[in-house]
Amino acid sequence: MVDEATKRSLAQIPLLKTKAGPRDGEIWVGRLKEEYQSLIKYVQNNKEADNDWFRLESNKEGTRWFGKCWYIHELLKYEFDVEFDIPVTYPTTAPEIALPELDGKTAKMYRGGKICMTDHFKPLWARNVPKFGIAHAMALGLGPWLAVEIPDLIEKGIVTHKDNTAGAGE
Amino acid sequence: MASVEDLQKKIKELEQALEEEKQKNRQGAVRQKISEMSSEVVDSNPYSRLMALKRMGIVDNYEKIRDYTVAVVGVGGVGSVTAEMLTRCGIGKLLLFDYDKVELANMNRLFYQPHQAGLSKVEAAERTLKEINPDVIFETYNYNITTMDNFNHFMKRITEGGLTEGKPVDLVLSCVDNFEARMTINTACNEVGQTWIESGVSENAVSGHIQFVIPGETACFACAPPLVVATKTDEKTLKREGVCAASLPTTMAVVAGFLVQNTLKYLLEFGDVTHYLGYNALQDFFPTMSMKPNENCDDTYCCKQQKLYKEREAKKPKVVKEEPKEEEVIHEDNPFEIELVSETSVEESQASEGQVPELTEGLRVAYSVPAPEQGDLGNNVVETDSTSLDELMKQMKSL
Ligand SMILES: [Zn+2]
């Protein structure tokens, strides 16, 4: 199941109220505001807990999201581009988060670098429509994925540290 | 160092090999278009064995197949084989949708060949299929249907991409490999009232299914949580370490066969079209059932289509006939065989587990969804405030 740390940080992410997707016009703008509020709070929580690990931004329609996520392994920071689209069926279906530069480097990915969610993710998401938003998808999907896959990829030498990225102490 | 004689001999051999290759290409004459399907049994008629279905009394009017248009969404392991079967059957028009490229990692499946690696799947498929049967008209789209722009275009092609431009397609076949794309097809088909068939193969490659959806009349893909064909493997022991999904050409071909068989039955009106057909490859068990739509379906267009269907039915003259016993998706009186051991009432357990459809043996839901909560979400909810979206975007950037 979901580990304790994830559960705790998940519980602190504000839930959303509006059930609306990108085809819903004005109500989607309302949902988008909630997404940003929830994400801002989550990033602030992470900073306070000394566990800041991603930044995201979107196009003005809020349909395409992009940014960076990073993972600290043995005091070195490994940074990756993140991107995803908001599907027309959102929030009934979760966004498919992708790390394009790792595409083809691990079997725990679908084409295009979309990360493989655990078996628990989909039921949990389905049970929490429309309360879960992008911040929850990051916390439940990408966070645990990085924690399992990145150390493994580093160990196998598939991911190496880039000297131009700043270290953990930045 | 080889002698001149040896080299001359070598050249001769190579010339001969080249000539043989050329000969092969000449033999592989391009199949010409055929204006009318004939039942004549000659070795040059690609339709003779299909037209024989008429003589045998299986199909009344086989050549009608040429009047039909089918959209195949996803041309991977199931979709490519599906498209090939329909092409060989002489379908009128095929619309193919897929955003993926052919990869060597796909070669455990049928249809694509190693030399096509790197090509978009729809382009590679169109090339091969046109060679097999140039009578079929193709329309291909290399994009992801789940994003806003593509979705609108996808809906437009479903409603206007029929054999006569402006007319809808006759059937949509879902051959995608993920929940998001299935829901997208479901959304589009509910909205425009398009009949479609969903298909799928499990991630462990040992089960699959097809589901026939007539919006408003049979359960849609959102009417219940996804159904799973139960195989006697303990799901908890299913190891997913290191991989997302496995696949077998066998399971995919079986499912493609089910899909196209029911497509032919639906279009050419013979036999019975199965509403839900499962395939448990480990025990060779094939659960079937019918499902009525969920009156409380999450998709508002599904509910609208249900109303329209009821209105259509009410207008029909009453014909006295034995109704085949259909199982309701939602079974309120006797919910899902829960043993009442504790004080938990049926209502309470139903609220916590949500509504679960009554299913035939060998099927279960992937998960249950609780009934929607009323009002209070607790304290940790985003506050409604007057901060503008631009302001919030700026705040996010400055973090
Ligand atoms: Zn429905």
Side-chain angles (χ1 to χ4, degrees), chain B residues 45-294:
Chain B
N45 178 8
Y47 297 120
S48 62
R49 298 293 172 189
L50 292 165
M51 294 294 275
L53 289 165
K54 273 171 72 169
R55 295 191 179 184
M56 291 188 170
I58 302 294
V59 183
D60 285 342
N61 198 0
Y62 189 85
E63 59 268 35
K64 245 186 104 55
I65 188 109
R66 290 192 135 184
D67 301 339
Y68 292 118
T69 301
V70 173
V72 179
V73 189
V75 283
V78 174
S80 61
V81 176
T82 295
E84 179 174 345
M85 286 179 181
L86 288 169
T87 299
R88 289 183 187 274
C89 284
I91 193 82
K93 180 175 173 184
L94 278 179
L95 280 78
L96 308 177
F97 298 85
D98 200 303
Y99 68 91
D100 208 7
K101 283 192 170 72
V102 180
E103 284 173 15
L104 288 178
N106 303 142
M107 293 306 139
N108 69 321
R109 284 155 247 179
L110 304 179
F111 191 72
Y112 294 110
Q113 303 205 4
H115 68 84
Q116 295 172 313
L119 281 177
S120 79
K121 283 185 177 170
V122 288
E123 194 193 339
E126 186 185 2
R127 280 190 205 174
T128 307
L129 297 174
K130 261 189 175 157
E131 236 170 79
I132 293 172
N133 188 347
D135 296 333
V136 181
I137 300 165
F138 290 92
E139 228 180 81
T140 60
Y141 297 102
N142 181 24
Y143 61 54
N144 176 357
I145 61 160
T146 71
T147 64
M148 276 290 279
D149 299 345
N150 298 335
F151 179 76
N152 290 332
H153 186 267
F154 170 65
M155 282 245 283
K156 214 168 139 57
R157 291 322 294 156
I158 294 299
T159 46
E160 296 174 10
L163 207 53
T164 313
E165 180 62 27
K167 289 264 162 62
V169 303
D170 296 289
L171 190 65
V172 173
L173 300 179
S174 162
C175 304
V176 298
D177 61 0
N178 64 86
F179 181 67
E180 292 75 17
R182 285 189 176 93
M183 277 302 233
T184 304
I185 296 168
N186 191 60
T187 301
C189 290
N190 274 338
E191 220 163 299
V192 300
Q194 172 66 55
T195 299
W196 64 291
I197 312 180
E198 135 73 6
S199 76
V201 172
S202 64
E203 292 202 324
N204 63 10
V206 290
S207 69
H209 71 273
I210 60 163
Q211 183 181 344
F212 185 59
V213 185
I214 309 170
E217 191 177 333
T218 68
C220 87
F221 190 68
C223 275
L227 302 182
V228 174
V229 179
T231 48
K232 285 175 189 159
T233 39
D234 186 351
E235 298 291 329
K236 283 179 189 95
T237 63
L238 178 65
K239 292 194 178 74
R240 280 183 56 149
E241 295 307 310
V243 280
C244 285
S247 71
L248 279 170
T250 47
T251 314
M252 290 181 156
V254 168
V255 170
F258 281 161
L259 185 62
V260 179
Q261 197 78 288
N262 279 279
T263 299
L264 294 174
K265 289 193 288 181
Y266 171 70
L267 295 176
L268 300 174
E269 298 175 308
F270 65 101
D272 300 316
V273 179
T274 304
H275 288 179
Y276 185 98
L277 169 56
Y279 170 43
N280 160 352
L282 294 185
Q283 278 78 37
D284 274 340
F285 183 62
F286 305 84
T288 61
M289 65 173 184
S290 271
M291 285 199 298
K292 282 193 175 149
N294 175 358

Side-chain angles (χ1 to χ4, degrees), chain B residues 186 190 213 215-216 218-224 292-303 306:
Chain B
N186 191 60
N190 274 338
V213 185
T218 68
C220 87
F221 190 68
C223 275
K292 282 193 175 149
N294 175 358
E295 286 176 12
N296 303 310
C297 182
D298 208 34
D299 187 323
T300 51
Y301 280 97
C302 174
C303 300
Q306 291 180 46

Side-chain angles (χ1 to χ4, degrees), chain A residues 20-25 28 61-63 86-91, chain B residues 146-148:
Chain A
R23 299 177 69 225
D24 295 325
W28 168 243
E61 295 82 18
T63 51
I86 297 295
V88 286
T89 46
Y90 188 79
Chain B
T146 71
T147 64
M148 276 290 279

